[in-house]
């Protein structure tokens, strides 16, 4: 393992109460490839992927998911946690897209555990019901923290929601520390016996201990972190990588030897040895190939047949040397073009298949060309700007757009924010306000008069609207949402602790704050809105909308419940809401469903007029436009990278996508200008301007 520690890795796979020799199909350990992204060169990636839901895919499916997870992690940039989150998000997008495709006959979901070791740090992440145990010193630490609570262990798997529920944790790695990644059966084992298993003399003893505790089904990966010079205490297979990752295969009688002390420069020496091992591996593979070639060209003569001439014998010696030298030259000076060329060929083959599908097969045509765009995007990540790929992508976009009634637009970036993850956008006049969920700060930027760019140096953070800011006796907690209060002409923000912050655009350095009563009743506040002076808070965790009445410019009473009685709706999947001029509340769910309510009672609402295959099946945010000349809903779907526009009755008007689809990969919100000529969308750390008319 190319870090301060190497890993002894073993697997346990129990099916129907019997241990089988094959490793779990979704178990993978991968060290950094030669062309890993910057900062990933010394990381080691571990993952365990296993089925969820009613439909179990073939074993190859989980093997490919694990391989994709490793590939995407080592191609990602940023911190370890950012890379892990990118892996989970991308795999979840793949599954959600598959499950929503009308051409797919089976719905697939997957549980996934992932771990990364960098130097002396271990990062764990999971989605679904995978569990882990980590023992460094003392008692083992469970991940997630509570094994005895089903609601903690059994989270939503990948492929269910547009945004995966990813949980992470970080630990310090010491010599001899052990990690176990497993299916949820591990959480049902006796705590004392699991500790005894983890404290076995070697990694094979760990596997034997857990095998004795396993019931009907268990998939498990066990890892022990040791200094690189410690020999494997069990018969082990040398991993074909730039470092040793021995795989335990059988119990061993002797315990692991004590790790020798590290000496200065050991890490550098290990990296050099790793490079030489890789060179030797490539050379050996080349020699094997050369030997096979020579066997075909100059087969060993049978007894009594004449031997090869001296020239042929000389060629037999020189050819493998030349091939080895050629392989080494290509290995040392390779540019990765072959991978790109293979990707281009795959894109062209996929396009040929898409062209062969009958135009009457709308679902099949859409699915095929969507795959073409996905392959092109992957190729562009290897090398961008290829004219052939650009033409192929435009062809795919044209076909899909015609089928789905999509309006393709240029998304022009007009403002970017450093290391940000924009969550909410508000427009008032020429002022744009955005909430950065990553840094927990609200910013204001000013648009130019044409609305197509921002005034130079107008980007301004609002000091009071950030986590940790102090306003009087109040300290700001994690920010939930922002909203423009028309009655008081103020931008307001809400934090999870019940603090309302109100700032006038002219006096952003001096803001007021008020602590709302009974905020301890909230569970998971997600969005706010105001109507006729009342403050409404959507709280999916409490399955409720809280309503605060205003009196004398303040909210001085405890909140009322919007939904009362026994027949309350299920709001646990709600992501956003809005109120029209008549007081009707529109609630958006994560699956794209919108419901309409009046005085706590549901009223009719249904989407109509959508193209076949264009129905909203996932959603992340909503803007309710109350402008009398253009009332309607704008709904954002990150999974489809689309902004949908409907009337307040649900009738389809338009749907918008960017020509450069990756621009909308992290789409989180949208707002139109007053003239209805421009939409402003937030994706990642960027604000984009999109003209509604092409």
């Amino acid at each position: 393992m190319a870090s301060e520690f190497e890993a002894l890795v073993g697997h346990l796979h129990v099916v129907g109460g019997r241990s089988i020799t094959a490793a779990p199909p979704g178990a993978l350990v991968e060290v950094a490839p030669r062309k890993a992204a910057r900062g990933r060169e010394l990381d080691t990636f571990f993952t365990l992927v296993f089925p969820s839901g009613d439909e179990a895919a073939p074993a190859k499916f989980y093997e490919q998911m694990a391989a994709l997870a490793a590939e995407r992690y080592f191609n990602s940039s940023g911190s370890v946690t950012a890379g892990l989150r990118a892996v989970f998000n991308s795999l979840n997008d793949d599954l959600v897209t598959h499950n929503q495709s009308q051409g797919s006959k089976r719905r697939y979901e997957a549980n996934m555990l992932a771990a990364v070791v960098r130097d002396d740090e271990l990062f764990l992440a999971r989605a679904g019901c995978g569990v882990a145990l980590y023992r460094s010193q003392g008692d083992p630490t469970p991940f997630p923290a509570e094994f005895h609570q089903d609601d903690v262990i059994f989270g939503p798997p990948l492929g269910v929601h547009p945004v995966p529920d990813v949980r992470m944790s970080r630990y310090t790695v010491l010599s001899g520390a052990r990690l176990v990644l497993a299916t949820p059966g591990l959480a049902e084992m006796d705590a004392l016996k699991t500790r005894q298993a983890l404290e076995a003399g070697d990694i094979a003893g760990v596997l034997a201990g857990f095998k004795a505790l396993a019931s009907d089904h268990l998939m498990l990966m066990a890892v022990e972190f040791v200094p690189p010079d410690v020999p494997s205490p069990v018969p082990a297979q040398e991993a074909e990588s730039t470092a040793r990752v021995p795989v335990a295969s059988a119990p061993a009688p002797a315990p692991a030897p004590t790790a020798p002390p590290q000496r200065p420069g050991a890490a550098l020496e290990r990296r050099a040895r790793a490079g030489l091992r890789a060179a030797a591996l490539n050379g050996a593979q080349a020699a094997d190939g050369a030997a096979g070639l020579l066997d075909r060209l100059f087969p060993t003569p049978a007894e009594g047949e004449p031997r090869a001439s001296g020239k042929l014998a000389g060629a037999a010696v020189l050819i493998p040397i030349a091939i080895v030298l050629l392989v080494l030259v290509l290995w040392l000076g390779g540019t990765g073009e072959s991978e790109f060329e293979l990707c281009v060929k795959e894109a062209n083959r996929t396009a040929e298949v898409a062209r062969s599908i009958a135009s009457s097969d709308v679902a099949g045509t859409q699915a095929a060309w969507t795959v073409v765009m996905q392959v092109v995007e992957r190729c562009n990540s290897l090398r961008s700007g290829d004219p052939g790929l650009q033409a192929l992508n435009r062809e795919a976009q044209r076909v899909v757009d015609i089928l789905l009634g999509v309006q393709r637009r240029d998304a022009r970036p007009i403002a970017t924010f450093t290391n940000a993850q924009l969550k909410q956008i508000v427009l008032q006049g020429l002022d744009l306000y955005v909430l950065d969920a990553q840094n927990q700060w609200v910013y204001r930027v000013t648009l130019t008069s044409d609305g197509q760019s921002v005034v130079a140096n107008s980007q301004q953070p609002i000091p009071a609207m950030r986590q940790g800011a102090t306003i009087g006796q109040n300290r700001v907690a994690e920010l939930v949402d922002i909203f423009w209060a028309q009655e008081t002409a103020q931008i307001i923000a809400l934090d999870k602790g019940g603090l309302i912050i109100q700032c006038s655009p002219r006096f952003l350095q001096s803001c007021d704050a008020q602590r709302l009563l009974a905020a301890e009743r909230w569970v998971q506040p997600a969005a706010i809105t105001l109507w006729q002076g009342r403050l409404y808070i959507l709280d999916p965790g409490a399955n409720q909308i809280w309503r605060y009445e205003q009196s004398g410019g303040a909210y001085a009473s405890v909140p009322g419940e919007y939904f009362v009685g026994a027949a309350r709706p299920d709001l646990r999947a709600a992501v956003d809401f809005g109120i029209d001029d008549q007081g009707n509340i529109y609630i958006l769910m994560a699956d794209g469903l919108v419901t309409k309510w009046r005085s706590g009672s549901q009223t009719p609402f249904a989407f109509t007029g959508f193209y076949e295959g264009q129905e909203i099946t996932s959603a992340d945010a909503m803007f309710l436009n109350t402008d009398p000349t253009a009332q309607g809903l704008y709904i954002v779907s990150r999974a489809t990278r689309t902004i949908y526009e409907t009337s307040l009755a649900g009738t389809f008007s338009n749907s918008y996508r960017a020509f450069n689809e990756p621009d909308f990969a992290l789409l989180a919100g949208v707002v139109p200008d007053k003239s209805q000529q421009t939409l402003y969308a937030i994706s990642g750390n960027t604000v984009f301007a999109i003209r509604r008319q092409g």
Side-chain angles (χ1 to χ4, degrees), residues 251 391 445 550:
V445 294
Q550 191 178 63

Side-chain angles (χ1 to χ4, degrees), residues 215-488:
S215 54
D216 290 341
H217 300 281
L218 182 69
M219 296 182 186
L220 181 145
M221 176 193 295
V223 184
E224 180 174 356
F225 300 102
V226 298
D229 297 324
V230 173
S232 171
V234 295
Q237 175 185 353
E238 188 82 5
E240 293 186 357
S241 64
T242 56
R244 299 192 305 261
V245 186
V247 180
S249 58
T258 304
Q262 298 270 349
R263 64 183 185 279
L268 185 60
E269 291 177 18
R270 286 199 300 279
R271 295 170 196 173
R273 289 198 302 269
L276 292 175
R277 283 196 297 269
L281 176 63
N282 282 281
Q285 290 172 339
D288 287 343
L293 177 62
L294 289 172
D295 286 340
R296 290 192 295 271
L297 293 176
F298 311 113
T300 302
E303 185 176 354
E305 291 185 5
R307 296 282 176 176
S309 68
K311 291 183 179 180
L312 291 180
V317 174
L318 293 176
I319 287 176
I321 295 176
I323 291 177
V324 169
L325 290 174
L326 177 61
V327 169
L328 287 174
V329 169
L330 292 175
W331 175 69
L332 292 172
T335 62
E337 293 183 356
S338 60
E339 184 180 358
F340 172 76
E341 290 167 356
L342 289 173
C343 189
V344 171
K345 289 180 181 178
E346 181 185 351
N348 284 309
R349 285 196 302 268
T350 308
E352 291 173 5
V353 172
R355 296 186 188 106
S356 68
I357 298 176
S359 57
S360 58
D361 184 0
V362 176
T365 303
Q366 175 197 342
W369 284 108
T370 299
V371 171
V372 172
M373 288 188 284
Q374 292 171 347
V375 176
V376 169
E377 184 174 334
R378 176 157 51 85
C379 298
N380 284 333
S381 69
L382 300 173
R383 183 197 299 168
S384 60
D386 182 83
L389 288 177
Q390 291 175 346
L392 200 60
N393 197 56
R394 285 194 296 270
E395 180 184 359
Q397 287 180 343
R398 281 195 299 269
V399 175
V400 173
D401 292 350
I402 292 171
L403 291 175
L404 301 182
V406 170
Q407 302 292 317
R408 193 73 61 167
R409 296 289 183 265
D410 283 316
R412 185 145 47 87
I414 60 173
T416 58
F417 301 82
T418 304
N419 192 33
Q421 185 67 49
L422 303 183
K423 176 184 178 182
Q424 180 61 282
I425 181 170
V426 170
L427 174 63
Q428 177 58 33
L430 293 177
D431 288 335
L432 271 175
Y433 300 88
V434 292
L435 169 58
D436 172 12
Q438 178 82 8
N439 299 301
Q440 283 294 298
W441 209 317
V442 177
Y443 298 87
R444 179 179 70 176
V445 294
T446 302
L447 299 169
T448 55
S449 57
D450 64 359
Q452 299 307 302
S453 58
V454 299
V455 175
N457 301 317
S458 66
Q459 190 176 119
Q460 179 183 10
I462 303 177
M465 290 186 175
R466 66 174 176 86
Q467 187 173 4
T470 301
I471 309 171
Q473 302 298 315
N474 299 297
R475 189 174 182 83
V476 180
E478 181 181 343
L479 296 171
V480 172
D481 198 7
I482 57 175
F483 192 82
W484 179 260
Q486 197 68 44
E487 295 88 346
T488 60

Side-chain angles (χ1 to χ4, degrees), residues 484-498:
W484 179 260
Q486 197 68 44
E487 295 88 346
T488 60
Q490 291 177 313
I491 183 73
I492 69 170
L494 174 73
D495 78 359
K496 284 191 173 181

Side-chain angles (χ1 to χ4, degrees), residues 615-631:
E615 297 84 1
I616 305 175
T617 55
S618 69
D620 300 275
M622 177 179 73
F623 177 82
L624 193 155
N625 193 357
T626 57
D627 189 305
T629 62
Q631 291 184 340

Side-chain angles (χ1 to χ4, degrees), residues 508-523:
L508 291 180
Q509 305 299 321
S510 178
C511 301
D512 298 324
Q514 177 193 346
R515 182 74 63 183
L516 297 176
L517 297 176
E520 66 275 5
R521 296 167 61 185
W522 305 353
V523 178

Side-chain angles (χ1 to χ4, degrees), residues 118-153:
R118 172 178 290 183
D119 296 327
D120 63 348
E121 288 188 302
L122 168 68
F123 298 82
L124 278 177
R126 73 156 204 158
C129 61
V131 296
L133 277 176
Y134 178 68
R135 183 182 181 276
S136 180
Q137 292 179 337
D139 292 335
T141 301
F143 174 75
E146 299 293 340
F147 271 9
H148 63 278
Q149 295 184 10
D150 286 351
D151 57 340
V152 174
I153 292 178

